[in-house]
Amino acid sequence: MSRVYNFSAGPAILPEPVLRQAAEEMLDWHGSGMSVMEMSHRGKAFVSIAEQAEADLRELLAVPDNYRVLFLQGGATAQFSAVPLNLIGDASSVDYVNTGSWSKKAIAEARKYTAVNVVAEGGNGDPMSIPAQSEWQCDPNAAYLHYCANETITGVEFPEIPDAGDVPLVSDMSSMFLSRPLDVSRFGVIYAGAQKNFGPAGLTVVIVRDDLLNQASAQVPAIWDYRRQAEADSMLNTPATYSLYIAGLVFQWLKDEGGLSAMAEINRRKADKLYRAIDESAFYRNPVAPDARSMMNVPFVLADDSLDATFLSEASAAGLDTLKGHRSVGGMRASIYNAMPEAGVDALIDFMADFERRNG
Amino acid sequence: MSRVYNFSAGPAILPEPVLRQAAEEMLDWHGSGMSVMEMSHRGKAFVSIAEQAEADLRELLAVPDNYRVLFLQGGATAQFSAVPLNLIGDASSVDYVNTGSWSKKAIAEARKYTAVNVVAEGGNGDPMSIPAQSEWQCDPNAAYLHYCANETITGVEFPEIPDAGDVPLVSDMSSMFLSRPLDVSRFGVIYAGAQKNFGPAGLTVVIVRDDLLNQASAQVPAIWDYRRQAEADSMLNTPATYSLYIAGLVFQWLKDEGGLSAMAEINRRKADKLYRAIDESAFYRNPVAPDARSMMNVPFVLADDSLDATFLSEASAAGLDTLKGHRSVGGMRASIYNAMPEAGVDALIDFMADFERRNG
């Protein structure tokens, strides 16, 4: 068996110790005689797994007591619908910042249910950037202000948390969740699909401030009703049990690695060295303004795009996998989530230098 | 390692060869150097897994060409919302048969979006039964007629497929899907959560006739839009990739076991012998009329319910696990899905006889 360095944007690389433990426990979890996959979600064994996962996530993020942590299904795309359906209340519109593809998808879903005010447009231009908050046209009566903290496709990331005043701030954090510490108290709702940074596709974490649990539309589907799921400990219906178990193992691994401050330091170092290698070369280029660059998703283009296919096939042969950029933008993208070891980034940088030497 | 006979109603027992293969492939699928959990859903490797899963499911059920097979998230409870949102079209109401808890939940969700006509009430009385179709008050202008083929909690199952005339017939088949051959052409939509009979919780199969793909409400969430998901091969958003991989292994196992006719024969034999043991005893009792008895979920009560706790603890000590009935009905329930070996049912029957001898 030979493991590759997997730079996929998601589903994405997971910590090898997590996968080893999952393999070992696959047929018999802790002497229960069954796989976690086979356990009733109402049974003591699985309830203990779910409770531990939530406790560990709360500890990692220092989630305040007045926030509920939900483990739901459907990915971030489901939350594009669930957020407006849960939060619209008596308001007549919602505010969204548009910084790229995922923002646009969130906006399109919200428009099915309410009027959407796009307060700012970013993530475009060359280099791509995010407009200063002083230029945003926010509505103080909006039900909430939504932004995508990190646009996975273009690698455009907010340098800081926006100030939403008294309007609840809502963020899609899928591709940067758990990559660094976070002040949860700044938010009304945070949501994140697991398949970027903490587990298998099919699991979504929603962290919601408890004063926002009572303003759902009558048409919210039961499984996305934050209040009902909070009351049912995310078990209004059968949750994605095995995915939650894997996420729980990732949370434990993060604690073992020193928590989110330690991860932030490693992630910062990984990103800095990769951007530096790109910036110091005339052969590679990253199209994002320095203060809007993602710490997790690093897109880059080759000066000569006729070399793209060769680059990808040689990288793959060198054990550097899934470096192709998203089909909507082309080029390359290295996603360097928590589980990507620094050695993987070093190997990529070495390969890029060598490729440039041979083709530049 | 000692595996138990797990009678859980869901998440439920899975075939041991499937779990073994999943464990073996956990860190490195087919020399790819990564787990299936880590694969991009757009990559060749995962697309091949998804295509094989769909092809095998189509072969097992002989799904006609004019039906689309979708792999979605959210379980059957999500479909309780998705069905009306996709199928309402220009109709002003929908028809539902109510045969128990799952029917009631489906009806409550549908009422959020349209007028619901409950055409018949069943699954009640002693013994519990299903009213003859001649007594149903169906509306020929309903958008569809919905029924729950097998009520998992009470073990009440339709003996045959209802005749819906020209109205599209829709069925929640979660707890009997793939337990026997099925004439898919009788249906407009079939849906089933994986966690009963073919995989981990978090995956849902929807089989939809292609003439029903163009009548969705403008408010259907994108991830549940049958037409858009059909056009995107169920990858409008990131699907529950690992769960689909496990389901694919189960489909292969079912083919290896001889397909659905072979499973039906074994399942019939398992159910018949368990019901016979119950009926021949004055100590145990099943509360369902013989022609409405489930082949998958066999509830039974002890004549003296003060013995319930002793029964459960002794059964568990004997390796017969998760036999407790649903909290809403009490008593016992043995779920005997495809993956429950006949030896497991034999062991249960032997234990029940022995328990009766010692306590009757």
Side-chain angles (χ1 to χ4, degrees), chain A residues 1-4 6 11 14 27-28 33 38-39 73-74 77 81 109 112-113 201-202 219-224 237 239, chain B residues 1-4 6 11 14 26-28 33 38-39 73-74 77 81 109 112-113 201-202 219-224 239:
Chain A
M1 190 200 71
S2 167
R3 296 262 302 163
V4 297
N6 174 10
L14 287 166
L27 280 93
D28 182 12
E38 303 175 296
M39 288 179 181
Q73 295 181 52
T77 307
S81 307
E109 284 298 286
K112 293 180 179 173
Y113 311 107
Q219 299 209 319
V220 65
I223 71 163
W224 293 343
N237 63 321
Chain B
M1 189 200 71
S2 168
R3 297 260 304 163
V4 297
N6 174 10
L14 287 165
M26 179 64 85
L27 279 93
D28 182 12
E38 303 176 296
M39 287 178 180
Q73 295 181 53
T77 308
S81 307
E109 284 298 287
K112 294 179 177 172
Y113 311 107
Q219 300 210 315
V220 67
I223 71 164
W224 293 343

Side-chain angles (χ1 to χ4, degrees), chain A residues 4-12 312 315-316 319-325 332-335, chain B residues 32 34 38-43:
Chain A
V4 297
Y5 290 122
N6 174 10
F7 293 92
S8 173
L312 285 167
S316 183
L320 306 166
D321 221 316
T322 326
L323 279 163
K324 192 172 182 178
M332 310 297 153
R333 175 178 47 174
S335 295
Chain B
S32 65
M34 60 179 86
E38 303 176 296
M39 287 178 180
S40 168
H41 55 299
R42 307 277 180 205

Side-chain angles (χ1 to χ4, degrees), chain A residues 11-46:
Chain A
I13 190 170
L14 287 166
E16 195 171 309
V18 165
L19 296 173
R20 286 196 188 283
Q21 184 171 346
E24 282 162 16
E25 296 178 344
M26 179 64 86
L27 280 93
D28 182 12
W29 183 83
H30 296 197
S32 65
M34 59 180 84
S35 174
V36 174
M37 222 179 270
E38 303 175 296
M39 288 179 181
S40 169
H41 55 299
R42 309 277 180 203
K44 278 181 194 165
F46 186 76

Side-chain angles (χ1 to χ4, degrees), chain B residues 140-157:
Chain B
N141 296 313
Y144 57 86
L145 169 64
H146 179 283
Y147 75 109
C148 177
N150 179 51
E151 288 279 356
T152 321
I153 291 176
T154 46
V156 170
E157 183 178 301

Side-chain angles (χ1 to χ4, degrees), chain A residues 158-175:
Chain A
F158 279 72
E160 52 193 25
I161 299 171
D163 178 3
D166 291 336
V167 173
L169 184 62
V170 178
S171 185
D172 173 3
M173 297 210 156
S174 295
S175 50

Side-chain angles (χ1 to χ4, degrees), chain B residues 205-232:
Chain B
V205 163
V206 177
I207 302 177
V208 53
R209 210 173 63 208
D210 57 16
D211 64 299
L212 299 174
L213 292 175
N214 283 304
Q215 54 199 68
S217 154
Q219 300 210 315
V220 67
I223 71 164
W224 293 343
D225 186 321
Y226 294 163
R227 182 183 56 77
R228 292 183 65 188
Q229 287 284 17
E231 287 169 359

Side-chain angles (χ1 to χ4, degrees), chain B residues 20-37:
Chain B
R20 285 194 189 284
Q21 185 171 347
E24 281 163 17
E25 297 178 344
M26 179 64 85
L27 279 93
D28 182 12
W29 182 83
H30 295 198
S32 65
M34 60 179 86
S35 174
V36 174
M37 224 178 269

